[in-house]
Amino acid sequence: MAAKTIHAIYTDDDVLLEAVKRTRAAKYHIKEVFTPFPVHGLDAAIGLAPTRIAIAAFIYGCIGLVVAIWMMNYMMIVDWPQNIGGKPSFSFTQNMPAFIPIMFELTVFFSGHLMVVTFYLRSRLWPYKKAENPDLRTTDDHFLMEVEFDGDERELRELLLDTGAVEVNINQK
């Protein structure tokens, strides 16, 4: 692992995107990029793997559907069957059209809520967590690229300044 990091600050997202591409082409490891808003194409430029949140959402939706089916079958068929409007509740399939909205709602409910929980756990965002932002200007209008390196920083500093960085700071770990 690198002993030092360098912070390059940019004021334009297009310049940052090109700087990330040039820095990766020069074989430097970009540890993190801090932006005030999502930058389209930045995750691919950094080399991040595609997210699997869609797979998790599908699984959570399936769990919600199973819970809805089990819940309605137990409540309306097994536990307390009722004759509502002259329609007897002796089987789940006879009452399926009336259950479709509930199945849909619980599928969406489980998928949405469990995805939020998964996001917070995966991102390690829990209550009272201290912010890990190295420069407060990145929450307003600046962009920061954090690059790890071993060796001489002059070459990397010149590369980053050449890519359009307005400020370059070297940090010892």
Side-chain angles (χ1 to χ4, degrees):
M1 191 164 185
K4 297 185 225 175
T5 59
I6 193 164
H7 292 167
I9 297 177
Y10 298 87
T11 57
D12 186 21
D13 56 336
D14 294 327
V15 175
L16 170 74
L17 193 56
E18 287 303 315
V20 166
K21 291 176 183 175
R22 285 185 55 191
T23 305
R24 283 206 25 142
K27 305 292 185 211
Y28 287 105
H29 178 259
I30 298 172
K31 183 178 178 185
E32 187 67 68
V33 176
F34 297 90
T35 63
F37 54 83
V39 178
H40 180 68
L42 186 61
D43 51 349
I46 294 174
L48 293 177
T51 180
R52 295 183 300 262
I53 195 73
I55 297 169
F58 177 75
I59 291 169
Y60 297 153
C62 290
I63 292 169
L65 181 64
V66 168
V67 167
I69 291 170
W70 174 83
M71 180 188 73
M72 288 181 301
N73 187 54
Y74 179 75
M75 286 181 188
M76 301 298 290
I77 309 300
V78 176
D79 186 39
W80 196 353
Q82 297 178 20
N83 186 347
I84 299 171
K87 299 176 185 175
S89 298
F90 298 132
S91 74
F92 184 81
T93 55
Q94 285 178 335
N95 296 300
M96 176 75 107
F99 293 161
I100 288 175
I102 299 168
M103 291 188 293
F104 172 77
E105 291 298 329
L106 281 180
T107 300
V108 172
F109 179 84
F110 271 69
S111 182
H113 283 76
L114 291 177
M115 278 185 2
V116 168
V117 170
T118 301
F119 171 75
Y120 283 139
L121 291 175
R122 181 73 175 100
S123 301
R124 294 185 179 101
L125 292 173
W126 33 74
Y128 310 110
K129 181 176 187 224
K130 187 177 181 292
E132 297 176 1
N133 196 348
D135 192 336
L136 290 178
R137 293 178 291 178
T138 59
T139 61
D140 188 21
D141 61 347
H142 284 68
F143 304 86
L144 185 138
M145 178 171 50
E146 188 174 46
V147 182
E148 289 183 336
F149 69 98
D150 285 326
D152 190 25
E153 67 259 5
R154 270 184 277 128
E155 182 182 334
L156 179 56
R157 179 190 275 284
E158 290 173 9
L159 172 70
L160 294 173
L161 288 172
D162 189 44
T163 62
V166 294
E167 186 179 327
V168 177
N169 302 319
I170 299 171
N171 300 330
Q172 300 284 347
K173 284 191 176 179

